[in-house]
Amino acid sequence: MRKGLLSLLLLLVSLLGSLALEDLERKAFVFPVASNTAHVVLKAKIQHPLTSVTLCLRLYTDLTREHSLFSYASKRHSNELLLVAQKPNQYKFHLGSEELIFKVPETLSTNHFGKHVCVSWESSTGLVELWVNGQPLVRKSLAKGHSIQPEASIVLGQDQDNFGGGFDINQSFMGEISDVYMWDRVLDPDEVVLAWYDQALPDYLINWRLLNYTIKGYAVVKPALLSVHTAG
Ligand SMILES: *[C@@H]1O[C@H](CO)[C@@H](O)[C@H](O)[C@H]1NC(C)=O
Ligand SMILES: *[C@@H]1O[C@H](CO)[C@@H](O)[C@H](O)[C@H]1NC(C)=O
């Protein structure tokens, strides 16, 4: 009887814990092994189709193969919004069936294993910006006039080949990811630099300091090894 009550209490505590939004400042999700299971699901309150967006995150990895950084699938398209590192200094940004490749000059990535990456897109002009360690690459164009579906399955650590699943170990992330933020607007250049320093900026869709997330499989929350003080 007592034991039953205790487990009920524990269940309630863990339910409450899992419902709370968490401040992950100075922490990171660690993915210690390659797998086709370990991932983190992020919940964002996206009420309407997105016609502009900025995504920023910090990563620390020694992978040289392709690895997924941020996978936002919709029922319409598994690559509704996807950021992949094809190799250490080459990123691929997908919006639905369209994609763009950015090759980062070696001079922009002074910290070999750790990087802060931001990508932004605006439907009205189709312009895409990719920033590495607070520095911009040359702007490109993708999916002008398009909009991003709001009903999303957002995953860190794996690339979704269908809504919420279809993971491939050869595209999995290994290492740590932190400071994940998403906004429903294009950040100004000054703001991207602030994001690099992990300063608060308004209009979040995903906020690392108030994160709604669920860990699935072998991923761990730990103090970040790579922080704003050591990155880049
Ligand atoms: C987290 O996301 C889930 C699913 O969207 C939602 O039901 C829940 O209310 C959110 N939690 C908080 C504290 O906002
Ligand atoms: C992953 O890559 C290895 C080595 O290239 C290959 O042998 C294996 O079949 C791949 N696995 C999947 C699931 O694609």
Side-chain angles (χ1 to χ4, degrees), residues 55-59 83 91 115-119 130-132:
L55 164 72
C56 292
L57 52 85
R58 209 178 297 279
L59 63 136
L83 184 64
Y91 297 92
K115 288 176 188 77
H116 182 260
V117 179
C118 291
V119 62
L130 187 92
W131 295 68
V132 176

Side-chain angles (χ1 to χ4, degrees), residues 185-204:
R185 63 189 179 87
V186 173
L187 295 189
D188 294 336
D190 290 351
E191 290 179 308
V192 177
V193 175
L194 291 176
W196 178 33
Y197 285 110
D198 200 24
Q199 299 297 303
L201 294 164
D203 309 325
Y204 292 109

Side-chain angles (χ1 to χ4, degrees), residues 67-184:
H67 48 282
S68 175
L69 298 178
F70 184 93
S71 170
Y72 175 126
S74 68
K75 295 268 166 67
R76 176 178 75 177
H77 210 294
S78 60
N79 298 344
E80 187 73 32
L81 188 164
L82 172 66
L83 184 64
V84 166
Q86 293 185 297
K87 43 190 180 183
N89 282 311
Q90 188 167 310
Y91 297 92
K92 193 153 78 161
F93 179 58
H94 294 253
L95 284 178
S97 50
E98 300 194 38
E99 62 188 52
L100 254 186
I101 290 173
F102 283 93
K103 290 181 181 160
V104 183
E106 287 292 336
T107 49
L108 276 197
S109 36
T110 50
N111 186 325
H112 188 58
F113 293 149
K115 288 176 188 77
H116 182 260
V117 179
C118 291
V119 62
S120 70
W121 168 77
E122 177 181 71
S123 175
S124 61
T125 59
L127 292 180
V128 179
E129 295 174 16
L130 187 92
W131 295 68
V132 176
N133 293 342
Q135 298 184 68
L137 277 73
V138 175
R139 282 181 175 116
K140 298 195 174 187
S141 165
L142 188 74
K144 186 166 181 278
H146 175 81
S147 60
I148 296 168
Q149 292 297 296
E151 196 196 343
S153 163
I154 304 175
V155 164
L156 301 177
Q158 300 285 344
D159 176 16
Q160 301 173 83
D161 281 341
N162 56 52
F163 194 78
F167 302 148
D168 175 354
I169 188 169
N170 289 338
Q171 292 172 302
S172 66
F173 180 80
M174 253 179 93
E176 59 182 74
I177 294 186
S178 60
D179 301 348
V180 182
Y181 295 92
M182 190 170 161
W183 297 264
D184 62 348

Side-chain angles (χ1 to χ4, degrees), residues 19-34:
L19 286 177
L21 301 176
E22 203 171 318
D23 181 354
L24 291 179
E25 190 182 6
R26 288 175 177 265
K27 293 186 180 150
F29 292 125
V30 183
F31 298 91
V33 299

